[in-house]
Amino acid sequence: MNFPEPHYVDTNGLKMAVYEQGPKDGVPVVMCHGFPELAYSWRHQIPAIAKAGFRAIAPDQRGYGNTGGPKGQDNIPLYDIAHLTDDLAGMLDALGLDKAVFAGHDWGGMVVWQMALRHPDRVAGVIGVNTPFMPRGPIDPIEGMRMVFGEDMYIVYFQNFGVAEGIFDKDVARSMRFWYRKSAMKLADFDKLPAEQKNLSFINSFAADESEWPGEQLLNAEEIDYYTKAFQKSGFEGGINWYRNFTRNWKDSESLVEKVNAPSLMISAADDIVLRPEMTEGMEQYVPDLEKHVIPDCGHWTQSEKPDELNTLMVDWLKRRFG
């Protein structure tokens, strides 16, 4: 695959790796990855968006890939949502851009919705891929997840500094093969499982022999190798630190006005068991200018599982709203 080489910009204390294609005078579309992803996770979308006449931009975000970030337990607060959104605003400054359309998948989706609240003057539009706008809840989200799912739920488990990254760093290639799998189960079938099998305890599955892992391998050997080399370089600590700021982000967001004024597109995946399509219900209350779609027969890794369908939806909306 002809994936671009990065160039580097200084932003918010980072030397951020940025990957670009498309005309410099095109409307910029910034694509933000989740965990455990990279700018490379948008490899199928970048050329399609560039070909449509837009300036496609994808960074390796704080803690990831060729950007990396500070290490050590004392630096966990440097991975909160304020830093993650300030990184992107600073990236726009470094690129000489006033504003951009921001697209985000998984954690990247949370970042781009927050960009629209924290830096509204820099956001021309928002595209959520799997990740809906999630309003601030009434209780600390980690305590809420702990009550519903227990200590083994992966986000709760991630709160223990050094533990999960210690497991994943031991054999990075195995870790990437574990994460990047196409689910063998429809969402409706998942919902029929007994409660103890629905606690999202991925660590227990990871400990099993690879032959017992559910689903099928999603990526080819070249793609797994790319991710493996990137995470061997950065480690998993930075990415997992994003999860360790759920409580801090919740406390910090108390005074935010929860209204996204930019035109927005929400693309859900029909069989994502974590970011379920029904989570978009009622989004219009917070995102008035909203268009919604659901990609059928698609699990969590939408950019790789259904690239053509995703590209069609993104490009069509971008052309209609920003062409």
Side-chain angles (χ1 to χ4, degrees), residues 3 33-45 60 64-65 105 172-177 179-180 217-236 301 303-304:
F3 190 69
H33 64 78
F35 175 88
E37 296 186 296
L38 300 161
Y40 182 74
S41 301
W42 297 97
R43 62 197 174 280
H44 301 291
Q45 286 67 53
D60 283 342
Y64 285 89
H105 171 256
V172 175
R174 184 178 190 271
S175 299
M176 302 323 298
R177 292 194 301 272
W179 288 111
Y180 284 100
Q217 188 63 62
L218 177 62
L219 307 182
N220 64 36
E222 180 186 351
E223 291 167 328
I224 288 288
D225 185 60
Y226 187 101
Y227 280 107
T228 298
K229 288 175 179 173
F231 279 90
Q232 284 172 338
K233 179 176 182 177
S234 69
F236 285 89
W301 309 109
Q303 305 105 301
S304 296

Side-chain angles (χ1 to χ4, degrees), residues 20 45 69 77 86 96 140 142 237 240:
E20 291 196 53
Q45 286 67 53
D86 287 352
D140 175 347
I142 296 300
E237 179 186 315
I240 295 175

Side-chain angles (χ1 to χ4, degrees), residues 126-167:
V126 181
I127 301 174
V129 181
N130 295 50
T131 312
F133 179 86
M134 289 180 264
R136 186 179 189 272
I139 64 170
D140 175 347
I142 296 300
E143 288 308 310
M145 286 183 258
R146 183 176 279 120
M147 283 191 290
V148 173
F149 296 108
E151 294 290 338
D152 289 341
M153 189 266 195
Y154 76 103
I155 295 175
V156 179
Y157 188 85
F158 281 0
Q159 301 307 304
N160 303 302
F161 183 80
V163 177
E165 56 265 53
I167 294 170

Side-chain angles (χ1 to χ4, degrees), residues 3-9 16-20 39 58 60 66-67 226:
F3 190 69
E5 289 296 315
H7 66 95
Y8 293 85
V9 301
M16 179 174 269
V18 180
Y19 305 75
E20 291 196 53
D60 283 342
N66 287 313
T67 297
Y226 187 101

